Amino acid sequence: MGYVRGAFGVRGWVKIQANTEHADSLFDYSTWWLGRDGDWKPYRFEDGLLQPKAIAAKLQGVDGREAAEAMRGCEIAIPRSEFPEPDEDEFYWTDLIGLEVFTVDAVLLGKVAELMETGANDVLVVVDGETRRLIPFVDAVVKTVELEAGRITVDWGLDY
């Protein structure tokens, strides 16, 4: 969901880089899990501020600048069970990563390695060995997403 960029002020607030559609949507969750290298710990969300390029948050038990700075680099996770159900034809990025991508002619292009937000639209980063393709995640290109089958079908040429 994001990561801690560092301390914000001197009272234990942390500066957050949110990897969500709306940065302040993290404020909707009462408990955040922070960790690194697989070592996770729950923190109760107390308060938050929306900043121009990030968000700032106060987490229970993080008191003082030193404690906040020690959290720099920690990843932020929310249990999947707390996510709202996506609307029809909407997907969480995490569900798309790892899906195989095929052309409408059934040619395998590779697997979704990540997604990028470009401002105009989201982009699938599809990797097959050394080949890396950037495919716009728009209705004109993405024809089907079948989560259960583990595949996405796109109208995309091999030479694009």
Side-chain angles (χ1 to χ4, degrees), residues 103-125:
T103 67
V104 291
D105 297 323
V107 175
L108 177 63
L109 296 176
K111 289 187 177 186
V112 177
E114 63 180 298
L115 285 97
M116 297 179 354
E117 185 176 355
T118 66
N121 54 265
D122 298 332
V123 174
L124 298 168
V125 179

Side-chain angles (χ1 to χ4, degrees), residues 3-79:
Y3 64 92
V4 177
R5 291 174 47 187
F8 180 80
V10 296
R11 295 188 177 161
W13 285 61
V14 290
K15 188 183 309 180
I16 304 291
Q17 175 64 50
N19 296 331
T20 56
E21 182 177 8
H22 304 285
D24 60 350
S25 64
L26 276 173
F27 300 161
D28 296 339
Y29 301 98
S30 61
T31 302
W32 298 5
W33 287 79
L34 275 71
R36 56 172 72 96
D37 302 324
D39 184 22
W40 295 92
K41 182 178 175 186
Y43 289 87
R44 187 128 181 96
F45 171 75
E46 290 184 351
D47 199 3
L49 296 168
L50 184 59
Q51 298 291 303
K53 295 187 179 187
I55 59 173
K58 178 65 177 94
L59 303 174
Q60 188 175 43
V62 181
D63 300 311
R65 184 170 182 84
E66 296 79 24
E69 193 60 43
M71 300 184 89
R72 179 187 297 269
C74 282
E75 293 180 274
I76 301 167
I78 304 294

